[in-house]
Amino acid sequence: DLSNSKLGTLKSSAPTTRGQFAGFLAEIINSALPDSIQKKYPAVSGDYFSDNAPLTTSILKAAGYGIISGSIGSDGLRYARPDDQLTRQEAAAMVCSALDFFEQVCAPIEASGAPAVYTDQADISGWAVEYTNRIAKYGLMTGDENKNFNPKGQLKRTEATVILSNCLDRMSEAFEGMLASTGGSYTVLSSGLDWSKANQFGYGDNFMGRPRTGLAFGHYTAVDAQGVITGIVVGQTEFQVERYDN
């Protein structure tokens, strides 16, 4: 889990690095999602990036979640550049990518804010315009008192701490909201068998798919003639199935 002590390591006015921020976003997703969903999206292999220094597991996991993709160097190789200082527009892109992944595998996150209108809009790189607008709608990053986003300015660790903490809150609220929409309990589709003491077959019997299930977000259960219980967790574009016996 992403603990307060870990966030405390960012509490200073020093700039945040790309690796620190991407790694924390991966840990936030790990804190908000069940282990069974996390395991479906493993970290990329250590040779995915060509940086000289070894990359942390959190950074490789962030790449697996699509949070950080790195850049292609003049040699044609991909580099994560984990020690580079993080710009505000890069932070916006990473946060939006983390939210996109969460919505894909779990539940939608409401973006109720207004589109951003920045005084320094012309300074925002073309690839980052979408992200700087979306991040304002989520209420996670905005401009300063003069409505400047300062896109190429360095993200301070104190700013990163607030963004990461709020991001975790938004994901946790979305996941809890999905559960609350089903009354916080499983819906039995067939049979009155009590499966609360069932034994899980094991990870090998869990899988994800992308069919048109026709089911709303939530948790469901079904029991076949042999007493095998199937638990279904329905996300936005995917669903997870776990089988149990009694």
Side-chain angles (χ1 to χ4, degrees):
D1 290 345
L2 186 69
S3 65
N4 289 331
S5 62
K6 286 184 178 180
L7 279 177
T9 64
L10 288 176
K11 290 182 178 178
S12 77
S13 59
T16 308
T17 66
R18 285 170 49 83
Q20 286 174 329
F21 198 70
F24 272 116
L25 282 172
E27 291 196 40
I28 282 174
I29 289 177
N30 291 343
S31 297
L33 291 179
D35 289 343
S36 53
I37 294 181
Q38 296 175 37
K39 291 175 181 178
K40 301 302 176 182
Y41 299 88
V44 299
S45 62
D47 60 358
Y48 182 76
F49 295 109
S50 299
D51 301 85
N52 292 327
L55 300 177
T56 65
T57 300
S58 293
I59 294 176
L60 297 177
K61 191 70 172 177
Y65 289 155
I67 296 170
I68 184 171
S69 58
S71 58
I72 304 301
S74 58
D75 55 4
L77 300 177
R78 184 182 299 275
Y79 293 89
R81 300 183 287 112
D83 297 328
D84 284 9
Q85 293 179 354
L86 182 74
T87 65
R88 286 175 53 81
Q89 63 182 10
E90 287 177 327
M94 288 187 185
V95 171
C96 287
S97 295
L99 296 178
D100 287 344
F101 174 81
F102 182 87
E103 289 188 317
Q104 175 188 350
V105 303
C106 187
I109 297 176
E110 182 179 359
S112 56
V117 179
Y118 302 116
T119 303
D120 58 352
Q121 185 75 26
D123 295 333
I124 301 173
S125 299
W127 62 264
V129 170
E130 170 195 353
Y131 303 116
T132 55
N133 285 336
R134 287 177 57 199
I135 202 74
K137 293 181 181 180
Y138 286 120
L140 295 173
M141 290 181 72
T142 57
D144 60 19
E145 64 276 9
N146 296 317
K147 296 185 178 181
N148 289 314
F149 188 80
N150 190 20
K152 296 171 185 174
Q154 297 165 356
L155 186 74
K156 295 179 180 179
R157 294 188 183 184
T158 49
E159 295 174 320
T161 300
V162 174
I163 294 169
L164 291 167
S165 179
N166 290 339
C167 190
L168 175 59
D169 289 343
R170 297 298 298 276
M171 289 185 183
S172 298
E173 290 168 2
F175 183 73
E176 292 169 2
M178 182 189 74
L179 296 182
S181 69
T182 64
S185 62
Y186 287 80
T187 300
V188 178
L189 302 182
S190 64
S191 173
L193 180 64
D194 177 13
W195 64 279
S196 61
K197 298 180 181 178
N199 298 309
Q200 189 171 357
F201 281 9
Y203 174 66
D205 275 66
N206 299 343
F207 62 92
M208 300 290 283
R210 293 175 179 271
R212 296 181 181 276
T213 63
L215 298 175
F217 292 130
H219 290 188
Y220 304 83
T221 62
V223 183
D224 64 18
Q226 288 72 43
V228 173
I229 305 156
T230 301
I232 305 174
V233 182
V234 181
Q236 185 174 14
T237 60
E238 305 184 38
F239 77 100
Q240 175 187 347
V241 175
E242 297 181 351
R243 296 187 185 89
Y244 302 79
D245 62 15
N246 207 32

